[in-house]
Amino acid sequence: MNVRIDDTDRKILAELQRDASQSLDDIARQVGSSKTPVWNRIRKLREAGVIGQQTVMLDAEALGFEACFFVLIRTSEHEAEWQRKFLKALQDRPEVQEAHRLAGDIDYILKVRVRNARAYDAFYQALISEVRVHNVTALLSMEEIKSTVALPL
Amino acid sequence: MNVRIDDTDRKILAELQRDASQSLDDIARQVGSSKTPVWNRIRKLREAGVIGQQTVMLDAEALGFEACFFVLIRTSEHEAEWQRKFLKALQDRPEVQEAHRLAGDIDYILKVRVRNARAYDAFYQALISEVRVHNVTALLSMEEIKSTVALPL
DNA sequence: CGTGAAAGTCGTTGCCC
DNA sequence: GGGCAACGACTTTCACG
């Protein structure tokens, strides 16, 4: 699963991150190469899983998703069975955009994007009825200052 | 800046989110329409800013970005000038993937993606030397359970 | 490993309903 | 506003330096 990635690969990845809709010729010009070699590199990076899904960023507010919460979760349960159920619950809920297992005294953090505060409450009630959690703190976002998925290559 | 979005638009957006590389014909078939109307809708949605950047998801770990921190920030300063400097510092740092201003006693949350813990410390030192913050808590991600940018349309 | 050309596919436009 | 057809541009492949 490991791939050797050289400087040209990195430039190609940076360009794809910036704008995945541009043509091979454009990318080739910007990395100082030409179509075929760039195409071969992209194919290899895709097969290696370095390049994943190709998607578009949508304006959440324009589409009515006006509330974003970060949810800090502490739990006293650490058995495999509980964790399996908890993970499945998160995967199944589309309003959960991110979920991380943490080091330290907070066990999990979620990023939850919903239409409004009521929708968050519905999510919260559903979650705690599915799995036991010891302590939940919700942080409400007032303003998205910055949002990117780009890695600083 | 407001747009009327009907059911067909929503289906198109959902398809674009799922896979932005598929052809207009494919999208048209899946939403029960044909090329031209789909293309016109996409153009309008783009012009309205509902559809933003087209990008690819890269495998952060394969590219050596092995550490991800959520940073909770409290500050005692709330003047416009301080906030301007703080925002600029966040925008200028590519390792900051997300930044939100929060309601409640924590003022800001950041998501910071870096190569390793040392790189995080370098980021942290640079940040607190640029702007005064009252209290900083870093949560270290051990495992990315879920990560998506898709909205549940 | 890069180049160039060939082939098929796709985005884009204009026209008809 | 949706569908059809045509054009040009693009992706993808392959054969040659």
Side-chain angles (χ1 to χ4, degrees), chain A residues 31-57:
Chain A
V31 306
S33 182
S34 63
K35 271 169 94 140
T36 312
V38 169
W39 191 83
N40 283 322
R41 282 165 183 270
I42 290 177
R43 190 174 45 77
K44 271 182 197 143
L45 290 165
R46 247 199 278 268
E47 281 165 9
V50 177
I51 298 176
Q53 196 191 20
Q54 182 163 336
T55 189
V56 291
M57 306 297 265

Side-chain angles (χ1 to χ4, degrees), chain A residues 144-147, chain B residues 86-94 96 99:
Chain A
E144 196 168 297
I145 296 170
K146 182 173 184 176
S147 176
Chain B
F86 183 60
L87 260 63
K88 173 145 176 41
L90 298 179
Q91 297 284 7
D92 288 351
R93 304 219 145 254
V96 179

Side-chain angles (χ1 to χ4, degrees), chain B residues 103-151:
Chain B
D105 72 338
I106 296 170
D107 296 304
Y108 297 93
I109 186 169
L110 315 180
K111 182 187 172 193
V112 180
R113 173 90 62 182
V114 284
R115 301 202 162 270
N116 48 49
R118 177 177 305 173
Y120 171 73
D121 193 49
F123 160 78
Y124 170 76
Q125 297 292 343
L127 184 68
I128 62 169
S129 77
E130 280 189 57
V131 290
R132 282 192 63 83
V133 291
H134 174 248
N135 183 286
V136 177
T137 305
L139 309 174
L140 170 59
S141 171
M142 291 279 97
E143 183 188 2
E144 197 168 296
I145 296 170
K146 183 173 184 176
S147 176
T148 179
V149 292
L151 300 173

Side-chain angles (χ1 to χ4, degrees), chain B residues 17-49:
Chain B
Q17 276 195 132
R18 199 178 59 74
D19 179 8
S21 74
Q22 64 191 314
S23 74
L24 279 177
D25 280 319
D26 287 338
I27 297 173
R29 204 172 325 114
Q30 289 184 278
V31 305
S33 183
S34 62
K35 269 170 93 150
T36 313
V38 170
W39 191 82
N40 281 322
R41 283 165 181 269
I42 290 177
R43 189 174 45 78
K44 271 182 198 145
L45 290 165
R46 247 199 277 268
E47 281 165 10

